[in-house]
Amino acid sequence: MSKATKYVSKAADENGFIHWTDEENSIWQALIKRQLPLMEGRACDEFILGLEKLNLPLDRVPQLAEVNEVLLATTGWRCEQVPALIGFEKFFQLLSEKKFPVATFIRSKEEFDYLQEPDIFHELFGHCAMLTNPAFAKFTQAYGEIGLAASKEDRVFLARLYWFTVEFGLMKTNDGLRIYGGGILSSPGETKYALEEGTAERRFLTNEEQVVDVLRTPYRIDIMQPIYFMIEKMSDLDAIRNLDLMALVEQAKALGLHKPKFPPKEKIAS
């Protein structure tokens, strides 16, 4: 969260309205129209229901007030406008206050398929539908509360829990494998890869031992994930947030990290 970015969040006017350009609105339109058809049979039911509640516009970037009206009515959450990058302290604080940080910029055409910074499409389409679900919303708030009180070293371990749930979580349902993680749901490539790639490893995340496994699992943000973790139902997140997560962090620290399932970044051929 401390690296530089070329993107700058757009400021709202005195009425809280953000003035998006025609090009920015056209990028939103292209992104959402590309992603929506991929959701059927791949996204979890909770995401589909949340998306229906949000009723995101197809032809323009939504205003945060429109999204907040739905989030406040369902789980008491709201979007909080932030700069393109924020520190961990601010990130955890906002989550603990039921405020989801949203950087108010949208990717350029040159980075249409992938960018490392989370833009407004990733945040609103990928995450906000899930925030209408009580179990997911409570888990995210609890994560913020725990992270806010944690040390810098412990936050590195906690980041892996967020990564493999909120960002890249899968759900093993009676109807098959489904997606609930926003990092997958906002990416067409990862949406297909996460469910269909035969070489990707998929592990369960439903008990203490498996939470420790997550905390010990390295990841990279710039590749397709070699490992995903699956819950079986959304209430599994209730069970996880009610564990003594800091005690599990201590176990993970004592055991050390697993060997990465990916090569070091500098050794990847260009």
Side-chain angles (χ1 to χ4, degrees):
M1 287 191 183
S2 59
K3 70 182 185 65
T5 175
K6 70 177 184 180
Y7 291 102
V8 178
S9 287
K10 297 174 75 77
D13 64 19
E14 63 273 12
N15 298 314
F17 189 88
I18 296 174
H19 297 268
W20 299 95
T21 66
D22 289 343
E23 180 174 348
E24 288 166 334
N25 283 325
S26 71
I27 290 173
W28 171 275
Q29 182 179 37
L31 285 167
I32 196 168
K33 287 189 174 181
R34 175 176 69 170
Q35 198 63 11
L36 277 173
L38 297 174
M39 296 296 96
E40 185 176 353
R42 293 187 175 98
C44 67
D45 291 344
E46 291 83 355
F47 177 82
I48 299 298
L49 180 60
L51 211 54
E52 290 173 358
K53 291 176 180 177
L54 287 179
N55 193 26
L56 297 171
L58 301 182
D59 60 340
R60 61 174 175 82
V61 183
Q63 294 297 321
L64 296 189
E66 297 173 294
V67 178
N68 287 343
E69 184 177 355
V70 178
L71 293 182
L72 286 166
T74 53
T75 58
W77 275 73
R78 65 187 304 273
C79 296
E80 181 81 2
Q81 182 180 344
V82 297
L85 293 172
I86 60 173
F88 281 113
E89 189 82 12
K90 183 67 172 177
F91 176 73
F92 288 122
Q93 179 190 340
L94 288 173
L95 295 186
S96 73
E97 297 171 350
K98 300 170 77 169
K99 298 174 183 175
F100 195 75
V102 175
T104 48
F105 72 89
I106 196 162
R107 69 195 69 181
S108 65
K109 287 182 177 178
E110 292 71 30
E111 293 186 293
F112 187 80
D113 291 323
Y114 173 78
L115 77 166
Q116 292 192 16
E117 304 97 317
D119 70 346
I120 195 166
F121 178 76
H122 168 82
E123 304 292 27
L124 297 189
F125 184 89
H127 289 300
C128 285
M130 288 305 306
L131 282 170
T132 65
N133 177 266
F136 184 90
K138 289 175 184 176
F139 175 83
T140 307
Q141 181 184 15
Y143 178 84
E145 292 171 344
I146 293 166
L148 192 59
S151 68
K152 185 176 180 180
E153 180 188 8
D154 290 345
R155 286 174 177 175
V156 176
F157 282 83
L158 287 171
R160 301 185 186 105
L161 178 61
Y162 190 89
W163 182 261
F164 289 113
T165 54
V166 175
E167 290 291 355
F168 285 87
L170 296 179
M171 189 185 305
K172 182 78 169 178
T173 74
N174 292 332
D175 296 322
L177 203 55
R178 296 291 184 266
I179 306 163
Y180 74 93
I184 310 176
L185 291 165
S186 60
S187 164
E190 194 110 24
T191 293
K192 295 178 181 178
Y193 179 93
L195 300 186
E196 300 162 14
E197 175 53 50
T199 62
E201 190 175 342
R202 298 171 185 87
R203 304 177 187 172
F204 278 107
L205 176 57
T206 56
N207 61 38
E208 287 191 9
E209 184 179 350
Q210 291 161 349
V211 171
V212 174
D213 188 26
V214 164
L215 297 172
R216 299 176 62 203
T217 301
Y219 65 85
R220 273 181 48 185
I221 68 170
D222 59 338
I223 60 173
M224 295 291 188
Q225 301 305 302
I227 302 174
Y228 298 92
F229 285 84
M230 307 176 293
I231 59 175
E232 294 180 294
K233 53 192 178 302
M234 200 53 63
S235 60
D236 287 344
L237 294 180
D238 288 324
I240 292 171
R241 71 178 169 85
N242 286 321
L243 296 173
D244 186 345
L245 289 174
M246 293 315 301
L248 300 184
V249 167
E250 290 303 315
Q251 288 184 39
K253 287 161 66 176
L255 291 167
L257 296 182
H258 292 306
K259 183 179 179 180
K261 297 279 186 178
F262 48 79
K265 190 171 184 178
E266 63 272 16
K267 291 185 181 180
I268 291 181
S270 58

